Amino acid sequence: MTYQADEGRYERQPYNRSGRSGLKLPAVSLGLWHNFGDNRPIENSRAILRQAFDLGVTHFDLANNYGVPYGSAEKTFGRIMNEDFRKYRDELVISTKAGYDMWPGPYGEWGSRKYLLASLDQSLQRMGLDYVDIFYSHLPDPETPLEETMGALDRAVRSGKALYAGISNYSAEQTTQAARIMRELGTPLLIHQPSYSMINRWIEDGLLDAVEEAGMGCIVFSPLAQGVLTDRYLDGVPADSRAATSRFLSPDRVDAELARDLNEVARGRGQTLAQMALSWTLRDPRVTSVLIGASSVKQLEDNVACVDGPDFTEDELEAIDKITERCASGGR
C-alpha cells in the first residue's frame, strides 16, 4: 500500500531551534544505530519509520557503520526512503557520520579528509540521496590535525553534499577549537552529538557551556543508557536482553536497584521510566533533541510520548539526583 503521511504529524511534538541557526529539530529524533540492518526484517523497519514520521519525527540519524553488516542501515533506509518518503524529502532532516572504522586499511577510519569525503560519497550512494542535511565527524582523531578534519566538513557543505556540519563525541575543549576553525572557514558547526543520560552526565562538566557559547545545538544519544533506564531490568538481567546478548552492554552495567528507585519517581509523574529518562534529558534548553532507538512500533510510540509528560518539579529533580548519586557511589 502506498504510504501517505498523517496530516496531523506536525501537531504531535515540539520543534526546537538548533543553537543560533535557522534549523529546527523535533524534540525526539530517531536513531538507526540498531534494528535497521540486514539482520532485521525490512517491513519492521518500514513500519517504525512510517510511524515515526506520522508522530512528527522529522529527523532520522544514521552513520556509515550502522547496521549488521556495516552500511546496511543506510541501505535499508535508502530503500524505504525511495519507496515511501521520496515526496517528503524536503520535510526530512537526514544525517550521517564518519569516523569509526568502516573499511580495511589506513583510509577507512578516523578524521582524514580522504576518509571523511570518501565515506560521505559512499553514504549518499547507499541511501540514494543527492545530499544529507547534517554530516558529522563521528569522533575526534588524535593524530589528524583538527584543521584537516574541519576542512573536510567545510568541503562537504560547500560541495552541496551536506547542508550542515556537526561533530560527535568531542570534549568541551575540542568543541571550542572545532567551532573556532569552522567559523573562520565560514561554515559554522550546527550541532554536537554526545552521549547523555541520568547516569552519564559528562556533558554537564563544560561541554554544554561550550556548545552554547559556540552557538551550536546539542542532540543527545543513549538517553536510556542502552536500556538500563527502562523497565527491562527492574528485576535483573533477562536472558534475551541486550545486556545478556550484545557487546554494547554488559550485565555488570545493569543496576536493578537504581532502575526500581527511579521507576518509583516516574510512576509519580504518570510516566514509564523510559519516558521520564527521555524527558529528563530535554529539561535543559541547551539540549535541542534526544535520539531514541526503536525495535518496534509500540516502543517508538511509548518513547515519543515523553513529550507529553509534565515539567519536572524541584523535588523530582532532587530525588533523581540523590538516587543516581547514591547508586554511583555504591551505597544506599
Side-chain angles (χ1 to χ4, degrees), residues 45-322:
S45 300
R46 187 191 307 276
I48 292 170
L49 288 168
R50 284 182 172 187
Q51 184 64 359
F53 190 49
D54 285 344
L55 293 174
V57 177
T58 54
H59 177 29
F60 299 139
D61 180 76
L62 299 105
N64 57 357
N65 65 342
Y66 284 1
V68 179
Y70 286 175
S72 58
E74 289 183 329
K75 287 184 178 179
T76 296
F77 177 77
R79 175 177 167 183
I80 297 171
M81 176 73 200
N82 184 60
E83 294 173 357
D84 291 355
F85 293 107
R86 183 63 58 182
K87 66 180 180 180
Y88 301 109
R89 176 64 185 95
D90 292 335
E91 298 182 41
L92 297 175
V93 174
I94 301 168
S95 61
T96 195
K97 316 176 197 72
Y100 288 100
D101 67 295
M102 183 59 189
W103 61 82
Y107 317 121
E109 63 180 334
W110 293 111
S112 71
R113 181 182 182 93
K114 179 173 178 60
Y115 168 59
L116 292 176
L117 295 180
S119 180
L120 176 56
D121 284 342
Q122 291 180 22
S123 290
L124 292 174
Q125 184 176 21
R126 281 190 291 268
M127 292 188 284
L129 298 174
D130 296 325
Y131 70 94
V132 291
D133 296 273
I134 307 171
F135 181 53
Y136 288 88
S137 167
H138 207 165
L139 79 167
D141 185 338
E143 297 183 352
T144 299
L146 191 56
E147 288 81 3
E148 179 176 340
T149 301
M150 294 303 104
L153 294 183
D154 174 68
R155 175 58 182 167
V157 172
R158 292 184 184 277
S159 69
K161 295 177 182 178
L163 299 186
Y164 300 95
I167 55 176
S168 181
N169 298 304
Y170 279 55
S171 69
E173 181 180 0
Q174 291 166 333
T175 296
T176 298
Q177 294 173 346
R180 174 186 56 78
I181 294 168
M182 291 296 279
R183 280 196 305 271
E184 293 172 353
L185 290 171
T187 304
L189 286 173
L190 173 80
I191 200 163
H192 190 300
Q193 186 176 136
S195 61
Y196 185 47
S197 73
M198 289 190 288
I199 58 175
N200 173 25
R201 303 190 182 190
W202 73 279
I203 70 172
E204 296 175 3
D205 188 21
L207 180 59
L208 282 172
D209 291 335
V211 166
E212 182 179 34
E213 177 65 24
M216 300 164 60
C218 182
I219 180 170
V220 299
F221 70 89
S222 292
L224 303 181
Q226 296 291 310
V228 173
L229 297 175
T230 70
D231 60 9
R232 186 74 165 126
Y233 300 103
L234 296 180
D235 299 313
V237 180
D240 62 344
S241 66
R242 179 177 294 177
T245 62
S246 171
R247 65 185 176 92
F248 295 107
L249 177 65
S250 59
D252 61 6
R253 288 177 56 193
V254 175
D255 188 329
E257 181 184 19
L258 175 144
R260 286 193 296 269
D261 289 348
L262 289 174
N263 191 54
E264 287 302 308
V265 180
R267 288 177 60 186
R269 290 171 46 81
Q271 290 184 303
T272 65
L273 174 54
Q275 288 168 345
M276 183 180 77
L278 295 169
S279 296
W280 183 89
T281 65
L282 291 166
R283 80 199 187 289
D284 191 315
R286 293 172 294 183
V287 175
T288 309
S289 183
V290 58
L291 273 168
I292 64 168
S295 59
S296 68
V297 169
K298 183 181 186 305
Q299 184 183 38
L300 170 80
E301 293 171 340
D302 289 346
N303 287 347
V304 171
C306 73
V307 299
D308 299 322
D311 292 337
F312 284 91
T313 67
E314 289 301 320
D315 287 344
E316 289 168 343
L317 292 174
E318 183 178 348
I320 291 169
D321 288 345
K322 286 182 177 179

